[in-house]
Amino acid sequence: MARLGFPEGFLWGAATAAHQVEGQNLNSDWWEFEHAEQTPCVEPSGDACDSWHRWPADMDLVSSLGLGAYRFSVEWSRIEPEEGEWSSATLEHYRQMCAGCHERAVVPVVTFNHFTIPRWLARRGGWEAPGAADAFARFCERTVSHIGDLVGWGCTINEPNIVSFMGYRFGIFPPAVADEGRSRKVSITLCNAHRMAVNALRSGPGDFPVGLTLSMADYQGAPGGEETLEAIRREAEDVFLEATEGDDFVGVQTYTRMRVGPDGPLRPEPGVARTQMGYEFWPQAIEATVRRATEMTGGLPVLVTENGIGTDDDAQRIEFVSGALEGVRRCIDDGIAVLGYFYWSLLDNFEWVLGYGPTFGLVEVDRHSFERRPKPSASWLGSVSRANGPEV
Ligand code: BGC
C-alpha cells in the first residue's frame, strides 16, 4: 500500500446545508412545500438533525475526526423573516458558528443560499419575482457585514442549475413549475444573482475567496448522442460556468455520470451498481467534472464542495471516496489547482423530496434522540485528512 499525498494546505472537509440539518425551518418555501396537499415530498423535514441547537456537537465531530473544514449554509428565511426585517439574533447565531469553527481550528466554508428562500419572496414569485436577484444581494450584504471577518470561503448560490431545473423545468422542487422557457429565464436570474452576490460578499469585512457551487455530471455521449449531449449540458452547466468569470474559485459537486443518446439521457447501464438515489455508482465522475470545470472557467481553482454517495453500505462509501480521490489526485498531477475536497454529507439528513430515506452521512443520526453515531467511513476520512491523502 502506498500513500497518495496531496498538496500541503489541501482542505479536507464535510458539508451540510441549513434546511437539511437545522430543523423547524418554518419560514422557508421548502417547509411550505413539504406540507402542501399535493407535495411530492415523502415526509416533512421536521426537526431534521436539530443542528440549530446541536451545531457545537456537529463541529466537535468535524474536528475530532481530523477534518480541517466545515461547509454549512446560512438560512435566508431566518435572517430576513420578512422583507427588510433582519434578525440580529440569527445573524449572531451564524457568527457564533463561524467563531466555533475557528475555536476548533476548522475553516468555515459558508454557503449563502442552499435551495431555500423566505416565504415572503416565494409569495412574490420566488426567483421569478421582480427584484429577486437584488433581494438576494441585499441579504448577502447584510449577512456578510455581520460575519464576513470570520468567513473562510464564501459560496454564493448552491447549485443554481438544480434550482432552475428541479424547481422551474421539472416541477419537482418548489415552486413546482414545469416550463422550459421559465426555467431558462430563472437560470439567467440566478447567474445575475450570483454576480451581484460576489460583489456584495466582497464589499464586506473579511477577505475570503468567493465562488459558486455547481452540480455537474460526467456527461458521456453514447453513439450518435454527442449533439444532444452538448445541447443538454450547455443549459445545465455551461451557462453557469460562464457566469463564474471574475470569481476566486469554482465549487464542483458531482455524484455520478450521465450517458446521453440521440434522444436524451439514457437509463443506467445494466451491470453498473446503483446507489440509493438510483444513480450509477461512478466514483470516476469527479475527475471528469473537475477537468471540465477547469477547462470551461479558464483555470479557476477548484474546490470539490460536494461529492458523496447515498448508501446503507458504509464500505461502499469508502470505496466510492477512495476512487474519487484517486481521480482528484490525477487532476492535481496534471497541474490542475484542486484546493480541497468536501464529503457530502457530515450527517444523514433531510434529502429533499426523498426525506430521510437516502443516507449520505459519515455520521448516523438517531431520528428521535438525535444522537450522532459516526460510521467507519467517518474515521476513515478523518485519517485520510490527518495523513493528507488516502492509502491506495
Ligand atoms: C445538494 C444537496 C443534496 C445532495 C445529494 C446536492 O445536489 O447540494 O443538498 O443533499 O446533492 O443529493
Side-chain angles (χ1 to χ4, degrees):
M1 280 232 168
R3 175 97 33 211
L4 209 56
F6 274 62
E8 218 188 297
F10 191 84
L11 282 181
W12 296 97
T16 59
H19 188 73
Q20 295 178 270
V21 298
E22 285 181 346
Q24 298 296 321
N25 191 22
L26 315 174
N27 195 36
S28 67
D29 61 336
W30 263 89
W31 184 273
E32 193 166 3
F33 184 67
E34 291 156 23
H35 293 86
E37 221 169 281
Q38 302 291 326
T39 185
C41 295
V42 301
E43 57 188 325
S45 53
D47 287 323
C49 304
D50 193 30
S51 291
W52 177 258
H53 301 108
R54 293 167 199 263
W55 65 265
D58 296 342
M59 261 176 218
D60 285 346
L61 272 170
V62 170
S63 69
S64 66
L65 288 170
L67 299 174
Y70 183 44
R71 175 174 175 243
F72 61 93
S73 73
V74 292
E75 177 59 39
W76 186 359
S77 66
R78 293 189 197 263
I79 293 176
E80 191 181 6
E82 294 297 337
E83 188 173 14
E85 268 183 40
W86 305 94
S87 165
S88 305
T90 306
L91 284 167
E92 192 50 29
H93 172 93
Y94 290 122
R95 183 168 177 85
Q96 291 301 322
M97 284 185 73
C98 293
C101 278
H102 290 290
E103 280 156 22
R104 294 165 177 83
V106 166
V107 177
V109 177
V110 180
T111 304
F112 286 77
N113 179 268
H114 198 122
F115 291 175
T116 48
I117 56 170
R119 282 191 186 197
W120 59 262
L121 181 59
R123 278 196 296 272
R124 279 178 26 198
W127 289 107
E128 294 183 302
D134 304 81
F136 179 60
R138 272 197 304 277
F139 156 73
C140 288
E141 206 181 307
R142 185 71 175 222
T143 302
V144 85
S145 73
H146 203 87
I147 66 171
D149 56 321
L150 297 181
V151 170
W153 294 65
C155 309
T156 57
I157 304 178
N158 182 73
E159 301 187 342
N161 49 346
I162 295 297
V163 174
S164 172
F165 274 61
M166 297 293 271
Y168 296 82
R169 187 172 296 227
F170 303 141
I172 298 169
F173 282 11
V177 170
D179 183 317
E180 255 184 47
R182 285 171 67 180
S183 152
R184 249 177 229 128
K185 284 193 193 145
V186 165
S187 294
I188 295 169
T189 301
L190 288 166
C191 289
N192 290 337
H194 164 66
R195 293 258 44 92
M196 292 168 76
V198 170
N199 291 336
L201 295 185
R202 284 180 177 157
S203 74
D207 182 19
F208 51 89
V210 180
L212 70 68
T213 68
L214 196 66
S215 169
M216 296 182 73
D218 174 5
Y219 279 92
Q220 301 181 355
E226 294 76 9
E227 236 174 77
T228 312
L229 182 157
E230 288 302 334
I232 295 178
R233 192 171 55 184
R234 161 116 221 101
E235 287 202 55
E237 293 185 358
D238 299 0
V239 291
F240 298 95
L241 288 168
E242 284 163 9
T244 64
E245 204 185 328
D247 292 359
D248 302 310
F249 72 95
V250 56
V252 173
Q253 317 202 147
T254 299
Y255 290 88
T256 191
R257 70 170 175 172
M258 166 83 72
R259 293 183 317 127
V260 180
D263 300 323
L266 299 174
R267 291 183 176 284
E269 195 168 13
V272 177
R274 299 231 236 141
T275 73
Q276 287 170 334
M277 300 292 282
Y279 301 159
E280 287 178 309
F281 178 85
W282 205 259
Q284 306 91 304
I286 193 69
E287 177 176 0
T289 54
V290 164
R291 288 184 189 278
R292 187 149 199 284
T294 305
E295 228 175 80
M296 292 290 297
T297 59
L300 270 190
V302 171
L303 209 53
V304 176
T305 35
E306 285 182 26
N307 182 237
I309 177 172
T311 180
D312 55 14
D313 173 356
D314 198 52
Q316 194 190 33
R317 187 177 337 275
I318 295 177
E319 187 192 339
F320 183 89
V321 179
S322 297
L325 290 176
E326 286 179 39
V328 170
R329 177 53 205 266
R330 280 191 291 273
C331 294
I332 294 172
D333 288 343
D334 287 344
I336 295 177
V338 191
L339 306 182
Y341 177 92
F342 288 71
Y343 179 78
W344 180 272
S345 177
L346 177 67
L347 306 173
D348 284 345
N349 61 39
F350 181 69
E351 181 52 33
W352 308 109
V353 284
L354 300 177
Y356 293 97
T359 45
F360 279 89
L362 297 168
V363 177
E364 184 189 339
V365 178
D366 185 287
R367 296 264 8 99
H368 300 290
S369 68
F370 306 109
E371 187 197 335
R372 274 82 168 131
R373 298 184 202 110
K375 305 175 191 178
S377 57
S379 40
W380 175 81
L381 190 61
S383 66
V384 169
S385 165
R386 286 197 170 103
N388 201 25
E391 276 193 340
V392 289

